[in-house]
Structures are given as C-alpha cells and as structure tokens.
Amino acid sequence: MRNILCRVERLSVAYRTPAGMHSALKSVSLDIMAGEKLAIIGESGSGKSTLALALTGLLPAEALIEGEIVWTGPGSAPLPGRDIGIVFQDPGSSLNPVLTIGEQVGEGARHHLGLGRRAARDKAIELLARVRLPHPEQAVGAYPHQFSGGQRQRIAIAAAIAAGPSVLIADEATSALDTIVQAEIAALLEDLVQTGQMTLIFVTHDIGLAASLADRIAVFRTAELVEIGDAGSIVNTPQAGYTRQLLATHIDLDSPRLVGASDVR
Ligand SMILES: Nc1ncnc2c1ncn2[C@@H]1O[C@H](COP(=O)(O)OP(=O)(O)O)[C@@H](O)[C@H]1O
Ligand SMILES: [Mg+2]
C-alpha cells in the first residue's frame, strides 16, 4: 500500500490571453502516490503540460489558478529543481548551447547541494554515467550540439536528477525521438525511478507507452480528467467511452499514424 504524496484538489487553471480566458484544466482532482509511476495521457491541448507545470510550480504569470495542490510528505512544499526534477520534450530547449554539459548537469548539484566547482564536475560525471551516456569524462567538457537527440535527452535527465529529487516529471520526454531511442529513454526512466526510489509522473500521448511503463494511468480530454486507475484496468476495462475509443484505435494522438491494437501491452 503506497502513501499519498500529493493531493490535487479541484485544480483549475486558465490562461489570460488577448482573446480572453482560456481554460486549460477544469476542476481536476487526483492523488499521486509515493513511489508510483503515473502516466498522464490525452490528446494534444488537453492540459497535460499545464498539470505538469502546476505540480512543479512553474506555471507562467498569465495562468490563473484555483483549487489546491497539497504535498503530504514531511516538511514544506517541494522545491522545483531540488525535490522535483522535470524533463521536457525538446532537450534542445532545456540545454543551453553555450554552456558545457558538465556545467549544466553540475549546476543543480552546485546550487542545491552546495558543491564546489570540482565536486560538481565529479558529480556531473557520475550522473552522466548513471544515465548511460558514453564517455562521461569527455562529455563534461563538450557542448550540446555535439550529441544526438537521444543523448541530449539523457543529459537533460541527468541535469533533472542532479539534486536527487523525490519526484521526476517527464513531459513528453520521448516524443521527439525515434522509436528505438524512445524505448531506450523510457527504460532509462524506469530504471532511474526504481533505483532512486523516485515517483515518476510521465506525460505522454502514446497510450501504448503508458500501458507498458505506468502503474496507473490518468486520461485527460479537453481540460478534464476523464478517468484514472491501474494501468491494467484502464487498458482492459476502461470505464469511459473516450478511453475505449483511444484504445480501439490506439492512435498516436499527435500524428495521423495508426498503430495496431496488438501493440498495446
Ligand atoms: N501560456 C499559455 N497561454 C495561453 N494558452 C495556453 C498557454 N499554455 C497552454 N495554453 C493552452 O492551454 C491548453 C492546454 O495546454 P497544454 O497543457 O500545453 O496541453 P497538452 O500538454 O495536453 O498538449 C491548450 O489549449 C493550450 O493552447
Ligand atoms: Mg504538452
């Protein structure tokens, strides 16, 4: 039996836009359990990233927030970057092109763990080895453009876990990658959360990936939580028509490519 790590209670988020308020989440309530792998799935624009940003406290200033996010663990709300690591879809945008890999991966350790320059560099090498980047000793002195997309995502993950967070949020972290690299990054995330005893919140539009990786799946559609449950129940006995529709077609929600239902594990 897992403990509740975080309670999301009637969370609504609306963005102020020149055209008026745009509702991105409508009264969403769910619990996040300590140590679980929770997949957030739904079509593009359904509010998945808004939820990820709300959990990390990184929503932009134009976001109007109602409801509550209550962290039930000991101490105060977790600090983004230290207690919650986040990895985004495009590692190109989260990595700074003019800083070395070592500086970027070591930054979290310097800032949150108070390590000096040398110790942070050693920590960066250790983290790069942990995300299985080849030749970590050389990599610390290299720049982002010297790596492939999959390698950059490994580097971004190393930076996200530098301060030893208890929660890792991956927002479409594998979506921009080739299928094989996608599977490798998914396996890496699974391994990291298991060995680091982290809670993984995994945003994806790929229900097949969610089914194979997650303990529980939350299904979103146009700003609302459609249903949430054990991955097995969601896949085998979905309650909502929308989830059944997703499973029946198993569409990769952001592209017109159709994938056979046999791919759903
Ligand atoms: N900063 C913003 N300003 C205005 N609208 C936004 C902003 N960020 C997201 N949105 C809108 O909110 C809705 C939910 O977006 P998002 O959470 O990014 O969805 P998802 O991650 O599921 O694709 C979308 O309609 C999107 O266009
Ligand atoms: Mg998104």
Side-chain angles (χ1 to χ4, degrees):
M1 201 45 201
R2 298 182 194 275
N3 297 318
I4 294 175
L5 175 73
C6 176
R7 289 205 133 97
V8 176
E9 289 172 359
R10 294 180 305 281
L11 179 70
S12 297
V13 177
Y15 294 103
R16 282 183 208 91
T17 75
M21 297 305 286
H22 180 90
S23 185
L25 285 179
K26 289 180 195 155
S27 196
V28 168
S29 296
L30 59 91
D31 292 339
I32 296 166
M33 314 305 286
E36 76 168 336
K37 287 173 283 183
L38 174 66
I40 310 283
I41 70 166
E43 61 206 345
S44 187
S46 56
K48 305 182 299 294
S49 293
T50 299
L51 178 62
L53 292 173
L55 289 168
T56 43
L58 295 174
L59 280 171
E62 65 267 26
L64 197 83
I65 307 162
E66 278 173 51
E68 274 191 302
I69 296 176
V70 185
W71 296 88
T72 59
S76 55
L79 204 64
R82 188 191 65 189
D83 310 307
I84 308 185
I86 183 157
V87 186
F88 296 100
Q89 172 167 352
D90 177 13
S93 64
S94 56
L95 295 174
N96 187 329
V98 301
L99 292 180
T100 65
I101 300 310
E103 286 170 306
Q104 299 185 60
V105 174
E107 210 255 359
R110 286 189 74 171
H111 183 67
H112 294 293
L113 308 177
L115 299 184
R117 196 174 270 277
R118 244 247 112 80
R121 186 177 174 277
D122 291 346
K123 178 79 180 172
I125 293 172
E126 179 198 314
L127 287 160
L128 292 171
R130 233 174 113 197
V131 297
R132 286 179 238 125
L133 189 79
H135 314 298
E137 292 86 359
Q138 280 98 58
V140 284
Y143 291 87
H145 74 268
Q146 295 173 266
F147 298 90
S148 69
Q151 289 172 334
R152 281 202 290 269
Q153 198 56 296
R154 286 179 192 272
I155 295 164
I157 293 168
I161 61 169
S166 51
V167 183
L168 183 61
I169 300 185
D171 187 355
E172 306 264 11
T174 65
S175 303
L177 305 169
D178 304 344
T179 316
I180 292 173
V181 182
Q182 234 177 57
E184 287 170 4
I185 297 292
L188 172 66
L189 287 172
E190 188 166 28
D191 182 52
L192 288 174
V193 298
Q194 195 165 351
T195 51
Q197 294 176 325
M198 276 183 272
T199 302
L200 178 66
I201 300 168
F202 188 81
V203 177
T204 180
H205 57 260
D206 182 344
I207 198 168
L209 190 62
S212 64
L213 192 65
D215 301 313
R216 289 197 306 154
I217 298 177
V219 184
F220 281 78
R221 184 188 199 186
T222 50
E224 288 180 89
L225 175 64
V226 173
E227 65 178 311
I228 180 167
D230 292 341
S233 317
I234 295 286
V235 172
N236 298 317
T237 52
Q239 297 304 300
Y242 178 65
T243 312
R244 280 197 291 274
Q245 207 181 310
L246 280 186
L247 285 161
T249 48
H250 188 200
I251 334 169
D252 187 336
L253 295 161
D254 272 352
S255 80
R257 181 170 59 94
L258 283 172
V259 182
S262 61
D263 287 347
V264 181
R265 270 174 290 161

